[in-house]
Structure formats: C-alpha cells, structure tokens
Amino acid sequence: MSPNDITKLAVTRPDFAAIAAWIPQGASVLDLGCGDGSLLRYLKETRAVRGYGVEISDLDIVSCIANGVNVIQNDLDSGLSDFEDGSFDFVMLSQTLQATRHTEPLIREMLRVGREGIVSFPNFGYWKNRLSILLGNMPVSRELPYQWYDTPNVHLCTLHDFETFCRDLNVTVLERRVMTGEREVGLLPNLLGSTAVYRFQRGI
Amino acid sequence: MSASNSIGIVSAQRAIFDTPLVFRSGAVLPSYELAYETYGALNADKSNAILVCHALSGHHHVAGYYADDPKNIGWWDNMIGPGKPVDTDKFFVVGLNNLGGCHGSTGPSSINPDTGQPYGSGFPVITVEDWLESQARLADLLGIRQFAAVIGGSLGGMQALQWSLSFPDRVRHVLSIAAAPHLTAQNIAFNDVARSAILTDPDFHGGNFYRHNVVPTRGLRLARMLGHITYLSDDVMADKFGRELRSGKFSYGYDIEFEIESYLRYQGDKFASYFDANTYLLMTKALDYFDPAHDFGGDLNKAFARAKADFLVISFTTDWRFSPERSREIVRPLLHNRRNVSYAEITSTHGHDSFLMEHPHYFDVMRAYLDNVASEVAA
C-alpha cells in the first residue's frame, strides 16, 4: 500500500487511525469481521503488526488474500474456538459489533483470546439518527448505509448503552474516542458523535 | 476454456537416482527412477519453482497434453497453465509420479534389477516422508534449493504439509487443499475394506500376480468403487443419478439397474484396466501412516513448531472424506505457532473431488494467493 492509499484509508475510515493510535509497534492483533483486510493491512504497514482476520464472506476472503493479510474463514457467531486463550495483544471488532447476533458471548470471547479488546461502532444516539427517528424514519447515513429491510445491523446501540453493557459484563473501558467524520468530539459525545471507538479489558 | 490457455504439448522426463533410499520402515531401495514433467521456465535465481504433489491415483502428467496423444490432458490442467491460477508464465512447475507409482516411476510393477522380475510384494511399504526424500532429490537434480510453493490436494496436500516439516528451509509457501492432518479411524476403515478387496482377490497371488500373467481386476474394481463413493457428496450423487433406473423399471435381479451402479462399475472397470493393485495398496498405506504428530506424542502444535513456511489451507463444504473440520485441525496448530496462514472454506457440491473441479471462488482464492507468491519471486 502506498503512503497515498494509507492517507486515503485514514480519511475514509477515521476509526482506523484511532485504532492504530492505540496499537504499539509489532503487536499481535486479531481482527474480527475484517472485511477486505484494509484495517489489518493498514496496521501492518503503519504498526508492523502480526495477526489474522476472521471473515465469513467469500468475496472478502479473496480480497484479504490479495491484500496480503492472513484471513481465516469463519462465522463470528460460532465463536473463536480456533484461537487459544490470551494469544493476541488486541482483538478488534471494527464496525461489526452491531451486526453480531450473539454479542455478549462474543465480547467475552474477545477478552478470552486477547489481552485487550477494541470495538468501533456507529453511535445510534447521534443527533442525526435521533432526528431521523423523530421525523418518523429509520436513519440512513454514511455510517448506517442500509434500509431497515436490508440491514445486517441487528444490535445497534448508543454510547450509553455500550457502557452499561460493559459494566454489566464486568468489562473495564480503558479509553474511548468519539468522532464525527474525522473530527474528534469532546462535548456531548452521545449526541454529537457519529462513531465511537472503545478500548477495554476484563474487569478485575 | 481450459483448452484455450493450455500449456500445450508437454513431454514426460525421467530421472535416475543411484543413491540408495532408506525408507522409514528400514527397507532400502538401492536405485530408482522418477517420472516427471516441468512447465514454464526456471528463473535465474531458481526461486520460482512450484512442486505439485499428486493424490492417490495421480501422476506426473499434471498439465498440457502429449504430441502423440492430444486427448491425454494433464489431471490438473484447469489449474495450471499460462494465465491460470498456477501461472506457468510466472512459475516453473514440477509434477512427478511418486515412488511406488505405476505411471513411470519405480514401483511394484517395475523390474527389480536384482531379480529381473517385477518387485511385486518385494517393493517397500512407503510413507509420505519417504516420498518427500525422493522429491527433494529430484529438486536437487533440477537445481531447486527452495520451492516458492508446494501444492497438493488430498494425499497431495498431506505431502505439501510434510514439506514444511521435513524440509522447513526448502519451501516458502504450502498450499494444502482438501487434506487432513491424519486419517480418522473411519478413513482407515474405508482403506482397509479397499485393501481387503485386493488382498483377497484370488488373482492377487500375494502381490506377485505379474508372473501369473493375471491382474486382480475384481479386487481393484471394488476398491475403486468404494473409494469413488467417498470422493462424491451425497448431494452430487443425488443430483447426477438419484434413483434413476437404466431401463426405467425394476428387473428384480442383480444386474445393473440403477444408474449409480452403472456409473460406479464403469469407474471401477476403467480404473482396474490401468492401475496397479500393489500401487493402490501402497498409496492407501501411505495415507494411513501419515501423522506428523506421531513423533510428538500426538501433539500437532509441537509437530508444526518446525514449520517456517506460509500456508494457504482450503476445504470444501460437501467433502466428507476430509471435511472442513479436518482442515481446521491443520489451521489450529499453525495459529498456535504463529505461522502466516489463510483458510478458505469453499462452498461446493462436489464433495472431495471438488479440489479437481473448476470453481470460480476456489480459483480466485488460489490466484490471489499465488499472485502474491509470484510478486515475491519477482522482487
């Protein structure tokens, strides 16, 4: 990937840059629902990570291989049984949380396999989404590009929801970044942020 | 489609080895020959060679066709050729007939120079590791220190895996397709029934049927019929044959009635007409013995600790001989040892035989992987 491609990726997927900022050089990572392998490739180029992606889609498997990243074809909802306890520094779930069916066991699995978990997801509490509902329609946007009838998203949540969920699961949030586009959001994040990225570990 | 970008006319070659080969069993073969073919050109630093390992009934004629026999097309011609996933414009591809085979390499039907008679039952029982030793010697002869990739399906995939263990420094990429890290009891049971069919055929003569001028056709036919059932999926059999009757009605007898019977017997007869019964026995035993974890207390994680290669592991959804779960058993120790590995599970209806079929997604996966291997070679 040329430096230009990397810059372009960082712009189109601002959560990539946020995730990369948390990942030290040479870390081992597992990317769940890795799509075409862009994030892994980005981290390989910028952070020299070692790791694997897990993906179910046939087309994405070919893209990952073409991207030169390791990919294991598997369904996330059937668990991470191929991976051993504590075998990764980070287990990432980028823009996939909302499309997983068995979300709670998956988060537990992430923290079984990895030292830390990282998730990014579209914030359903973002004001534009709220406005859309208020006006009587399910939101459709860059972050939520689907119609209600063809969406893979079955578990959408807000920042508040996710943080409550972590507390209930005894998961400790270590860091949070909230963004709208490339812009970092500090004020009223659950209202003004369109994308959230969390870094977390097992609670003590 | 395949014909349009065939490698074209190829010819078989023969390599003679005079250094004795010591088998795992302790047996020694003082000298032997290997039949092989090559396609494409070996580059200046000899870094673009790919070895293709064959499965139970395969041989060295992997791609292209012979000038004097244009209908005899290589068994993996759809995969290998100019512009194909194993691109002969980029790679130097080597295919061989394994030792113990019956297509030109020294095997039970070859003449033992010490006796002037076919080896027959005197040919050593062979293991995958023994094959690898002979394949490495062929690589030496061709000036190949390290293969860019070793590729194989089924028993060929097992050989590819073994390359990363027997010669970790001599292979950069291993492509294991529709394989398993060892046979299950059920797999061995099927092999034993197939062997029993041959061993109990009165024409087998303890493996020395050559001197009686007979062939244990019945046993070999049964063995192949049984094997063939395990290569196909229930779905594809139902699709192709269902309960179709040849004459449209029951005849209340034991002649061929159902189309599947006709097909299996045809496959059995065809196979028995050219394949050597002793080779069949040897190949099935090599399968039974294959178990890289054997010397490591059954621990595949320890067995694969030696591997240095990168891996592509491929399975097919309807393969019940070596199911996707068996390929995952290969992937897990590779993950444990932090090898670079990708795993693709191809949705296909054709059972174990899928690895020989042209399937767009399967071929896309192979092409994507090997294109990267090719760019490493070029760099």
Side-chain angles (χ1 to χ4, degrees):
Chain A
M1 202 180 304
S2 74
N4 271 341
D5 292 338
I6 291 177
T7 316
K8 205 160 64 189
L9 261 183
V11 172
T12 52
R13 291 291 303 272
D15 57 324
F16 282 13
I19 292 171
W22 287 336
I23 304 226
Q25 287 287 323
S28 61
V29 299
L30 179 65
D31 185 8
L32 305 177
C34 65
D36 64 5
S38 307
L39 174 58
L40 269 176
R41 184 161 179 175
Y42 179 75
L43 293 175
K44 222 171 116 175
E45 311 267 338
T46 59
R47 290 290 183 274
V49 300
R50 285 183 55 82
Y52 306 87
V54 177
E55 181 53 59
I56 187 70
S57 140
D58 285 350
L59 274 180
D60 282 335
I61 296 293
V62 176
S63 304
C64 284
I65 292 172
N67 264 324
V69 302
N70 296 316
V71 64
I72 307 295
Q73 190 160 22
N74 201 3
D75 181 1
L76 289 185
D77 281 324
S78 66
L80 303 178
S81 56
D82 289 337
F83 301 98
E84 296 170 353
D85 293 2
S87 45
F88 295 95
D89 296 325
F90 297 94
V91 180
M92 310 179 296
L93 192 63
S94 161
Q95 301 292 346
T96 305
L97 180 78
Q98 71 279 4
T100 58
R101 223 157 268 277
H102 308 292
T103 311
E104 194 180 320
L106 184 62
I107 297 286
R108 289 187 201 282
E109 275 288 89
M110 287 175 73
L111 291 178
R112 174 185 68 80
V113 167
R115 202 163 45 78
E116 288 184 14
I118 293 175
V119 299
S120 68
F121 59 87
N123 173 24
F124 205 71
Y126 180 47
W127 69 270
K128 282 188 181 171
N129 298 336
R130 298 189 195 198
L131 183 63
S132 191
I133 302 261
L134 197 66
L135 295 174
N137 290 102
M138 286 298 283
V140 178
S141 62
R142 199 178 76 173
E143 288 83 5
L144 296 169
Y146 303 98
Q147 296 294 335
W148 65 272
Y149 50 83
D150 65 6
T151 181
N153 298 333
V154 291
H155 285 146
L156 289 160
C157 67
T158 68
L159 271 61
H160 286 170
D161 292 331
F162 184 75
E163 286 165 23
T164 308
F165 172 72
C166 287
R167 259 195 310 278
D168 292 349
L169 279 179
N170 190 27
V171 164
T172 307
V173 171
L174 300 169
E175 235 174 315
R176 178 186 80 182
R177 289 186 66 182
V178 184
M179 283 162 298
T180 298
E182 289 166 82
R183 190 169 47 82
E184 192 95 19
V185 176
L187 184 73
L188 297 172
N190 198 35
L191 186 67
L192 301 180
S194 66
T195 300
V197 195
Y198 284 85
R199 186 162 73 84
F200 54 89
Q201 68 182 22
R202 257 186 308 256
I204 299 141
Chain B
M1 176 175 172
S2 302
S4 63
N5 50 357
S6 166
I7 182 79
I9 294 169
V10 299
S11 54
Q13 299 174 73
R14 194 170 286 268
I16 299 168
F17 299 87
D18 287 322
T19 312
L21 188 74
V22 182
F23 289 62
R24 255 175 87 102
S25 67
V28 178
L29 201 59
S31 65
Y32 57 92
E33 293 182 19
L34 292 178
Y36 70 97
E37 290 181 8
T38 69
Y39 323 114
L42 190 60
N43 62 6
D45 62 356
K46 301 181 176 181
S47 62
N48 69 334
I50 288 185
L51 176 68
V52 177
C53 300
H54 69 73
L56 203 145
S57 60
H59 44 71
H60 54 289
H61 185 36
V62 185
Y65 53 88
Y66 297 133
D68 58 355
D69 188 5
K71 284 190 176 156
N72 186 354
I73 295 167
W75 58 267
W76 219 0
D77 190 77
N78 57 14
M79 183 68 81
I80 298 163
K84 293 181 183 179
V86 181
D87 192 343
T88 49
D89 289 337
K90 298 172 181 166
F91 294 110
F92 177 67
V93 181
V94 181
L96 82 158
N97 184 210
N98 277 345
L99 199 57
C102 55
H103 289 91
S105 292
T106 303
S109 56
S110 311
I111 301 295
N112 180 347
D114 291 346
T115 63
Q117 295 290 320
Y119 286 95
S121 61
F123 197 88
V125 172
I126 202 160
T127 64
V128 168
E129 290 92 330
D130 300 327
W131 277 334
L132 258 76
E133 186 57 40
S134 68
Q135 291 167 0
R137 290 183 185 184
L138 179 64
D140 293 342
L141 190 89
L142 296 171
I144 300 159
R145 201 200 70 75
Q146 184 188 56
F147 284 107
V150 179
I151 305 179
S154 190
L155 176 56
M158 293 170 167
Q159 292 163 62
L161 291 172
Q162 187 63 42
W163 261 92
S164 72
L165 307 179
S166 292
F167 303 106
D169 294 312
R170 297 195 70 173
V171 55
R172 290 196 298 279
H173 295 271
V174 166
L175 284 74
S176 160
I177 307 162
H182 58 255
L183 295 200
T184 60
Q186 189 191 50
N187 295 143
I188 294 170
F190 275 117
N191 280 348
D192 188 50
V193 176
R195 280 194 297 269
S196 295
I198 293 169
L199 293 167
T200 58
D201 186 323
D203 286 338
F204 183 62
H205 294 288
N208 299 311
F209 50 87
Y210 315 98
R211 66 173 77 131
H212 296 87
N213 286 317
V214 290
V215 173
T217 310
R218 285 162 292 182
L220 201 47
R221 184 204 288 138
L222 279 176
R224 183 58 167 183
M225 286 169 72
L226 179 70
H228 216 89
I229 298 170
T230 70
Y231 304 151
L232 301 179
S233 68
D234 196 17
D235 286 354
V236 86
M237 270 205 199
D239 248 24
K240 254 172 128 168
F241 309 106
R243 293 184 48 83
E244 288 297 308
L245 294 162
R246 296 193 78 195
S247 66
K249 58 183 196 320
F250 293 162
S251 59
Y252 300 102
Y254 299 111
D255 282 342
I256 296 173
E257 283 191 82
F258 291 93
E259 286 292 354
I260 181 64
E261 295 176 306
S262 164
Y263 172 79
L264 275 183
R265 290 186 202 197
Y266 169 76
Q267 291 294 337
D269 285 337
K270 193 173 79 171
F271 188 72
S273 71
Y274 72 86
F275 207 81
D276 180 72
N278 283 311
T279 292
Y280 199 88
L281 295 177
L282 286 179
M283 297 282 169
T284 59
K285 283 306 270 190
L287 272 163
D288 290 3
Y289 289 132
F290 179 71
D291 182 9
H294 181 79
D295 295 339
F296 296 88
D299 189 343
L300 265 183
N301 288 343
K302 285 187 187 147
F304 275 99
R306 281 172 292 170
K308 294 181 180 170
D310 293 351
F311 292 78
L312 175 64
V313 180
I314 295 178
S315 70
F316 300 92
T317 49
T318 53
D319 184 351
W320 59 278
R321 188 183 171 90
F322 297 144
S323 69
E325 181 49 33
R326 306 309 314 283
S327 278
R328 307 193 88 90
E329 286 175 36
I330 297 167
V331 171
R332 275 181 225 121
L334 297 173
L335 292 172
H336 174 86
N337 285 294
R338 298 174 181 256
R339 299 317 314 156
N340 282 320
V341 53
S342 284
Y343 168 67
E345 195 171 302
I346 312 290
T347 302
S348 163
T349 56
H350 288 95
H352 188 59
D353 267 354
S354 300
F355 85 88
L356 295 166
M357 308 278 179
E358 194 158 340
H359 178 295
H361 175 52
Y362 167 38
F363 276 43
D364 284 348
V365 167
M366 291 288 287
R367 189 188 302 277
Y369 193 89
L370 288 167
D371 279 354
N372 284 343
V373 176
S375 56
E376 286 171 17
V377 167

